[in-house]
Structure formats: structure tokens, C-alpha cells
Amino acid sequence: MAASKTQGAVVRMEEDRDGSCSTVGGVGYGDSKDCILEPLSLPESPGGTTTLEGSPSVPCIFCEEHFPVAEQDKLLKHMIIEHKIVIADIKLVADFRRYILYWRKRFTEQPITDFCSVIRINSTAPFEEQENYFLLCDVLPEDRILREELQKQRLKEILEQQQQERNDTNFHGICMFCNEEFLGNRSVILNHMAREHAFNIGLPDNIVNCNEFLCTLQKKLDNLQCLYCEKTFRDKNTLKDHMRKKQHRKINPKNREYDRFYVINYLELGKSWEEVQLEDDRELLDHQEDDWSDWEEHPASAVCLFCEKQAETIEKLYVHMEDAHEFDLLKIKSELGLNFYQQVKLVNFIRRQVHQCRCYGCHVKFKSKADLRTHMEETKHTSLLPDRKTWDQLEYYFPTYENDTLLCTLSDSESDLTAQEQIENVPIISEDTSKLYALKQSSILNQLLLQECLKN
């Protein structure tokens, strides 16, 4: 079976110029036993890393060779060299051991060509020098389904483990900074380190395999390694001073070693928390209009200046005050040329007079608001405003009622200003006083003072 594309795996096929040998990844077959098929890295902590004894092993798909799970790269190298099979995107396989065991069984049932794409290298050479390599990838529907099922199973196990840790009350741990002992739930020590030592590795509910996480961090500190920049220091005091002064009391976000301790990294196959977060942000931006289109704003009811009538819109309230009380606020605003702040003062003035049961037209005080309203409607004093100097005072900047919605609906556009006000409100631009002495010497005031002195 041949596939049109290969994802994540690249097999470089070259031929020596003299045609003497074929190569995979630039390595001759003659010394293929010692070839390097991937980048290498030195151990990050002193002493290197060692394979855990008793760890489960993984068999080769085709033979009886076994390799520890922690040494899966050696198994992959063995399968490429000995059996000429390449597995694409192996880092996206949630459970490497189950994946290998599944295909080990399937390859005994059907030929490998039923599942793998065939890649022929050195195709221009004589037939006996040509070799076929086999690519197993998720282009094959069966492989893709297997990877997805392994991912779902892995996520289920992680969530079960997380729930168990959340409910566990037998946790025992020691703070890596002050050596204080903690018992109970894991959240106690995590919250302590965040609060007392400004060391925050995330919310407890977002972390899984907490014991292993803390042990990993403690081991780095025991090896005198900074948790953030991962540099190694000569003694513990130097390390502590470095982390404190450089504010390195945090983990390195680029260290993929920590990914397995955060639940979000198990949510989607092959994607880290950073990639998932970026996708969420892009989705929010793409659907921003849709997300806000169903927003239903609850209208704030405005209350009449003279009675208890409420209206959902300011237009309805204006109509009510004009019909029921013969008070046209828009007409008054236009005739008097009121700007926004003057409207605020007028509304607050009327509110206060009505609250005190006093008619602002004749200054008579009544026992109740009902009596005041009857009087003002009969005498038509609602439209009889006092002189501007009576209500255009600083004290009426402050609302009579704190929740007066009417104040929020008043217009504050520049078009509210009359032509006269726009002429009178000429902007005053201050002088540049950075060179005050020079201004004093060249000021026109000097000439005016001199002329006045000469006249006298």
C-alpha cells in the first residue's frame, strides 16, 4: 500500500557519487550499527540519567529483541536498521508500549505492505542495490484510530489519577525551601510555597502526579540546579541567592520535562498547553462578533422627575413627562442652550426640590409629593423654571439619588453647545515656559511698560 503523504517522519535517501553504497540519513550501510538517527543531548543534571530497574520492556515488532520503555529510541533505531520500518510522529503516540504490541500482533496476521507505505531508496541503481523502507503513519485509518483511542485511554487514566490526588488526605510532603512538613492534601504545600515563598507552579487542580513533580523539583535543587535557568552552582547558599536576586523562583516554561505534570497537556493529541491556549485565543478572535451577537443588554429604567413612573427608554420617559406633566426637557435644553453639565445640574436641582416637596416655581412647600404634584400640574409650574443662577450651582453637580439613571442618558456631544458658547469657549494654549528668562526679555509687556513710563 502506498500513501500520498507522510507526516512527521523524513527519511533522507542519498546515493554516494561513486555508487558504492546507499545511505539512510547520510549514514552508510557498512557502519549502520553505529549510526546516529536523531539529535543527541547531554544530561541536564549532574550524574546523568539512569534507567529505572524493573521498568516494563517493549518488544520489537518483528523479532524477540526487548528494550526498556525508557529506551524507546534504541528500539526505534533497531527497527530502522534491522527491519527497515519507520514509525512517523512517534512523539504523538500516547502509549508507546501498547502501540507497539498492537502492531506486533497485526503484522503477524497480514503482510506489512497492507499497512505501510513503501519507500524505495537508491531507485536508479541496479535492482540488487535497491532497498525498500516501510513507513507506518496515521495516513492509515487504522493507525489514526489506534492513536486516538490510546490518547482517550491515557486521558481517562490521567483524570482518574488527578481525581484520586484531589481527594487524597494522606499526602505527606516537605517544603523544598523552608523544610516545613505538611500533612493532608497536596494543595496545602502548593499553596504554602506560592504564598510564603512566591513559588507558584500552578493551581493544585491543574496538576497531576504531584508527588513525582515535587520529587523532580527537589532533585534539581539537591543537585544545586536553578529551577528556571537550570544553571548549576557550587553550593546551596549561592543557588539560593541566585534564585532570590534573579527572581528565578519558578520553573522553566520551555522545559518539556514538566509537561506530563499538567492535565492540559493530555487534552489533545500532540499539542502542548501553549498550543491549545493559542488555538483558544484565535478561536475567540475569529468568533468575536458571534460571541457578542447574543448579548442581551437589560435596559435600565429611568424614573420621572415628578412621579414614580419608570420607562425602559429615555424617549418614552420624555414623552411621559411632556404628556403627563407638560415638562419638555429637550425643549428646555435647546432653548437655554444647556450643555451636558448644565443638564446634570438642572436634573439634580429638580430632583432635590421634588424630594423636599417644594415647588421650584413659587417656592411653596407641601406635606407630600402628591400634593406638590397636584399643585404644579394645576398651576403649570413644572415648566416655570427659576433663574439660571438658582440651579446652575456647583452643589448640583452631585446627584440627589445615587442610582439616577436619567443622568446617564443625558447627551454630552459637542453639538449640544450653542454657536455663542462655541465662540466664547476659545481654547487657551499655554506658553512654553521651558525658557522663562528668554520669554521675559522678549515679552511684549516690556514694551508696554516702557511706553507707559514715557507717557507719565
Side-chain angles (χ1 to χ4, degrees):
M1 181 189 70
S4 60
K5 64 176 183 176
T6 61
Q7 299 179 350
V10 177
V11 179
R12 183 181 300 169
M13 296 158 285
E14 299 178 353
E15 179 183 1
D16 289 351
R17 292 181 179 178
D18 58 2
S20 59
C21 66
S22 300
T23 60
V24 176
V27 180
Y29 293 140
D31 56 353
S32 62
K33 297 291 183 180
D34 298 323
C35 67
I36 298 175
L37 300 177
E38 60 180 332
L40 303 179
S41 60
L42 293 171
E44 298 180 353
S45 59
T49 58
T50 57
T51 304
L52 297 177
E53 295 184 1
S55 60
S57 62
V58 184
C60 173
I61 292 181
F62 297 102
C63 67
E64 299 305 319
E65 286 284 342
H66 282 67
F67 297 84
V69 172
E71 299 179 0
Q72 72 175 42
D73 291 341
K74 292 184 178 180
L75 173 57
L76 295 174
K77 177 181 177 180
H78 163 79
M79 290 192 297
I80 291 176
I81 295 173
E82 300 296 336
H83 307 290
K84 298 180 175 55
I85 181 170
V86 179
I87 301 177
D89 296 325
I90 195 63
K91 292 184 178 180
L92 302 187
V93 176
D95 193 319
F96 178 72
R97 188 171 185 273
R98 293 179 186 173
Y99 181 84
I100 294 296
L101 292 176
Y102 176 87
W103 285 115
R104 179 182 171 89
K105 180 176 181 298
R106 292 290 287 135
F107 286 160
T108 61
E109 299 171 350
Q110 294 178 236
I112 187 173
T113 52
D114 289 353
F115 305 105
C116 296
S117 304
V118 180
I119 302 174
R120 177 167 297 176
I121 67 170
N122 201 14
S123 57
T124 58
F127 180 79
E128 60 273 8
E129 296 181 7
Q130 299 179 13
E131 292 199 57
N132 292 334
Y133 278 75
F134 305 95
L135 178 65
L136 180 62
C137 64
D138 60 0
V139 172
L140 178 69
E142 184 177 352
D143 185 86
R144 184 176 65 254
I145 294 173
L146 173 61
R147 294 177 184 233
E148 291 174 352
E149 289 299 323
L150 292 176
Q151 174 69 13
K152 292 177 183 178
Q153 182 63 28
R154 181 67 177 275
L155 178 59
K156 180 182 178 181
E157 294 171 356
I158 288 297
L159 293 177
E160 290 176 352
Q161 174 67 22
Q162 184 203 32
Q163 188 62 39
Q164 179 182 348
E165 293 181 12
R166 293 174 64 181
N167 299 331
D168 182 23
T169 58
N170 298 319
F171 175 85
H172 174 265
I174 299 176
C175 176
M176 61 183 71
F177 299 106
C178 65
N179 295 326
E180 184 176 350
E181 187 175 4
F182 293 90
L183 301 172
N185 189 270
R186 60 179 185 160
S187 61
V188 179
I189 188 172
L190 296 179
N191 292 334
H192 161 80
M193 291 192 296
R195 182 177 60 253
E196 301 297 333
H197 305 291
F199 181 73
N200 185 10
I201 58 176
L203 296 175
D205 286 346
N206 296 337
I207 294 175
V208 68
N209 296 320
C210 185
N211 276 332
E212 184 183 354
F213 195 3
L214 294 177
C215 289
T216 300
L217 299 176
Q218 184 65 58
K219 184 178 180 181
K220 288 181 178 291
L221 292 178
D222 292 341
N223 290 329
L224 305 179
Q225 188 177 20
C226 174
L227 299 178
Y228 182 72
C229 66
E230 301 185 341
K231 294 180 180 178
T232 303
F233 295 85
R234 64 177 181 271
D235 55 55
K236 194 170 184 178
N237 290 332
T238 306
L239 172 61
K240 288 172 61 177
D241 291 341
H242 163 80
M243 295 180 66
R244 177 176 56 83
K245 292 178 181 178
K246 297 291 186 179
Q247 296 183 351
H248 281 189
R249 286 198 171 183
K250 50 189 174 183
I251 62 175
N252 183 1
K254 296 182 180 180
N255 190 337
R256 301 273 74 89
E257 178 185 3
Y258 302 129
D259 286 354
R260 68 180 188 274
F261 300 119
Y262 293 93
V263 176
I264 193 172
N265 291 312
Y266 298 92
L267 295 182
E268 194 166 351
L269 183 64
K271 293 183 179 178
S272 66
W273 64 270
E274 293 172 315
E275 293 171 316
V276 174
Q277 191 176 50
L278 285 175
E279 285 189 354
D280 292 342
D281 292 342
R282 288 194 294 267
E283 185 176 353
L284 287 174
L285 292 175
D286 294 340
H287 299 85
Q288 189 171 12
E289 294 183 1
D290 296 338
D291 292 338
W292 288 96
S293 62
D294 59 352
W295 178 275
E296 294 183 2
E297 184 177 0
H298 299 284
S301 299
V303 182
C304 174
L305 290 171
F306 306 100
C307 66
E308 307 302 324
K309 173 67 176 178
Q310 296 186 17
E312 293 181 353
T313 63
I314 188 62
E315 291 78 11
K316 293 181 179 180
L317 183 63
Y318 286 158
V319 171
H320 161 76
M321 289 192 294
E322 185 177 357
D323 294 343
H325 310 292
E326 297 184 7
F327 181 83
D328 191 344
L329 183 58
L330 294 177
K331 182 179 179 181
I332 293 173
K333 166 190 169 185
S334 177
E335 290 179 349
L336 299 181
L338 304 182
N339 60 27
F340 171 73
Y341 297 104
Q342 291 168 335
Q343 294 176 67
V344 168
K345 292 177 184 178
L346 178 60
V347 169
N348 289 332
F349 168 79
I350 296 176
R351 292 285 195 201
R352 187 174 303 181
Q353 299 303 309
V354 173
H355 175 73
Q356 295 173 347
C357 300
R358 181 183 289 111
C359 175
Y360 53 74
C362 61
H363 308 292
V364 176
K365 190 170 184 179
F366 295 86
K367 294 182 178 180
S368 65
K369 291 182 181 180
D371 294 340
L372 170 64
R373 185 163 54 251
T374 301
H375 160 77
M376 296 186 74
E377 291 175 356
E378 290 177 352
T379 58
K380 301 186 183 301
H381 281 183
T382 52
S383 58
L384 185 61
L385 291 177
D387 294 337
R388 184 189 291 259
K389 63 181 181 180
T390 303
W391 54 266
D392 196 0
Q393 302 293 330
L394 294 177
E395 61 180 302
Y396 296 116
Y397 272 129
F398 303 95
T400 304
Y401 300 100
E402 292 184 353
N403 60 341
D404 193 351
T405 310
L406 179 59
L407 297 174
C408 302
T409 62
L410 299 175
S411 175
D412 59 349
S413 62
E414 292 296 331
S415 61
D416 294 334
L417 296 175
T418 63
Q420 181 65 24
E421 286 176 321
Q422 293 182 18
I423 295 174
E424 292 177 354
N425 294 337
V426 178
I428 300 175
I429 303 175
S430 62
E431 293 181 316
D432 183 7
T433 58
S434 59
K435 299 180 180 180
L436 189 59
Y437 179 76
L439 287 173
K440 289 181 179 179
Q441 296 298 321
S442 60
S443 175
I444 193 173
L445 293 177
N446 294 332
Q447 299 178 12
L448 294 176
L449 289 174
L450 180 61
Q451 293 175 3
E452 189 67 23
C453 290
L454 291 176
K455 288 181 181 179
N456 297 332

